[in-house]
Amino acid sequence: EGDKELLVTLVNNLVVALSNARSFEKIIFLNEDLQVKNEQLEKALHELKAALRKVEILESIKANLSKFVPTAVSKIIEKSPEMGRFQAEERDLSVLFLDIEGYTIITEKLGGLEVNNLVEKYFSVFMEAIYENNGDVVETSGDGLMVLFLSEDETTNALEALRSAVMIRDKTALLKQESHTLSQPVTINIGISSGRAVVGANKFECYTGSRWAYTCHGTTINVAARICSHATGGDVLASRATVERVKSHFSFTPLGKFPLKHLSEDVEIFLME
């Protein structure tokens, strides 16, 4: 009887020992699995941090790049990073040319650095008017800007161009009151044209590789530039195509037809009141 009880006890102890052994094996396995998962998690966190850093760098590049390239280019790249939609295409637009009257004389009078500060002061204010009306500055020269309005709606294009011109004219008047730099305050002349033009990127191949330039060209662009050069005394001049689009919103005085440089036909010009 005693041997039987001892045998039962031994068997029970053996069962418990086996159970404990299995539990210990499970603990070891779980611990190893946890270590693997921790390593995987650490790797994933490291990769995530690296990815976030790349995003930060790219956002920084984008922010700085936007200071130099037209907004239209940034939008195209965002929609199609592989450059698939970057080719030039013909589309409707309104274009505004702006320049400083008597820029050469002012430069001789003030000198390069002072003129640069003056242009920076004026153009910084004009940028607010342009961007508030969805304009896009695509070209600058020493005394001028070329601004495109590229809405899908042709009336909206012309309206935004004229509204920009009005705001620029008003802001120029305020700056004249505040400025004591010049005996003759700065005068800004504006020309606006509407119609179809080719807008987008041109690709140039050379031995150093491909180079891209964002450009626009066509008769509509030329007309706006020539109209602007015809303006004096702070005029805002517009083509007939522009006037037809916005005549219910703005008042104009017809000035007649004029021969403009490098244009085969005379162009009818209107003065915005």
Side-chain angles (χ1 to χ4, degrees), residues 238-267:
S239 66
R240 170 168 284 282
T242 303
V243 171
E244 290 296 327
R245 297 181 183 194
V246 298
K247 59 186 177 182
S248 61
H249 297 82
F250 295 93
S251 297
F252 297 90
T253 299
L255 301 180
K257 289 188 174 183
F258 296 86
L260 300 179
K261 186 178 179 180
H262 300 316
L263 294 174
S264 59
E265 296 182 3
D266 291 354
V267 174

Side-chain angles (χ1 to χ4, degrees), residues 147-164:
V147 186
L148 300 185
F149 297 85
L150 295 165
S151 169
E152 296 297 328
D153 180 71
E154 63 180 31
T155 300
T156 301
N157 286 334
L159 282 173
E160 290 177 338
L162 267 297
R163 287 168 182 160
S164 294

Side-chain angles (χ1 to χ4, degrees), residues 174-187:
L174 289 175
L175 286 171
K176 283 182 180 181
Q177 295 175 8
E178 299 170 359
S179 177
H180 304 289
T181 305
L182 298 173
S183 57
Q184 180 66 38
V186 169
T187 298

Side-chain angles (χ1 to χ4, degrees), residues 74 146 151 193 219 265:
S74 299
M146 179 173 70
S151 169
S193 180
T219 301
E265 296 182 3

Side-chain angles (χ1 to χ4, degrees), residues 20-231:
N20 289 337
R22 291 193 184 98
S23 298
F24 184 69
E25 287 178 355
K26 288 181 179 179
I27 292 172
I28 293 175
F29 176 78
L30 289 173
N31 185 55
E32 291 176 349
D33 186 53
L34 184 60
Q35 288 180 347
V36 171
K37 288 183 177 179
N38 283 336
E39 291 174 359
Q40 292 174 342
L41 180 60
E42 288 180 6
K43 182 180 178 181
L45 287 173
H46 178 74
E47 292 174 350
L48 179 59
K49 287 179 181 179
L52 289 173
R53 179 55 183 159
K54 287 182 181 178
V55 170
E56 289 176 1
I57 293 171
L58 289 173
E59 288 296 328
S60 176
I61 292 171
K62 177 184 172 183
N64 288 317
L65 188 63
S66 66
K67 299 173 185 177
F68 297 94
V69 303
T71 303
V73 175
S74 299
K75 290 179 178 178
I76 291 171
I77 293 173
E78 286 177 2
K79 291 180 180 178
S80 182
E82 71 283 357
M83 305 284 282
R85 296 183 55 185
F86 212 51
Q87 300 295 333
E89 61 180 0
E90 187 178 68
R91 59 180 299 177
D92 185 87
L93 54 76
S94 288
V95 56
L96 180 154
F97 274 83
L98 170 157
D99 68 21
I100 299 173
E101 187 170 297
Y103 177 75
T104 303
I105 296 173
I106 294 172
T107 302
E108 290 180 347
K109 182 177 180 179
L110 296 181
L113 288 176
E114 193 168 345
V115 167
N116 182 72
N117 293 335
L118 183 72
V119 170
E120 199 171 82
K121 176 181 179 181
Y122 272 78
F123 284 13
S124 293
V125 174
F126 298 160
M127 290 297 182
E128 296 177 10
I130 291 165
Y131 289 126
E132 187 171 325
N133 288 286
N134 302 309
D136 198 9
V137 177
V138 296
E139 185 175 309
T140 63
S141 58
D143 65 331
L145 298 174
M146 179 173 70
V147 186
L148 300 185
F149 297 85
L150 295 165
S151 169
E152 296 297 328
D153 180 71
E154 63 180 31
T155 300
T156 301
N157 286 334
L159 282 173
E160 290 177 338
L162 267 297
R163 287 168 182 160
S164 294
V166 170
M167 291 181 68
I168 289 170
R169 187 169 64 181
D170 293 345
K171 289 177 181 294
T172 301
L174 289 175
L175 286 171
K176 283 182 180 181
Q177 295 175 8
E178 299 170 359
S179 177
H180 304 289
T181 305
L182 298 173
S183 57
Q184 180 66 38
V186 169
T187 298
I188 303 297
N189 297 319
I190 294 174
I192 300 172
S193 180
S194 300
R196 297 192 70 78
V198 176
V199 183
N202 286 334
K203 184 179 180 181
F204 305 102
E205 297 286 358
C206 60
Y207 69 91
T208 58
S210 299
R211 295 293 182 270
W212 294 82
Y214 186 78
T215 61
C216 56
H217 52 87
T219 301
T220 300
I221 307 299
N222 297 336
V223 167
R226 303 295 178 249
I227 288 177
C228 182
S229 64
H230 193 78

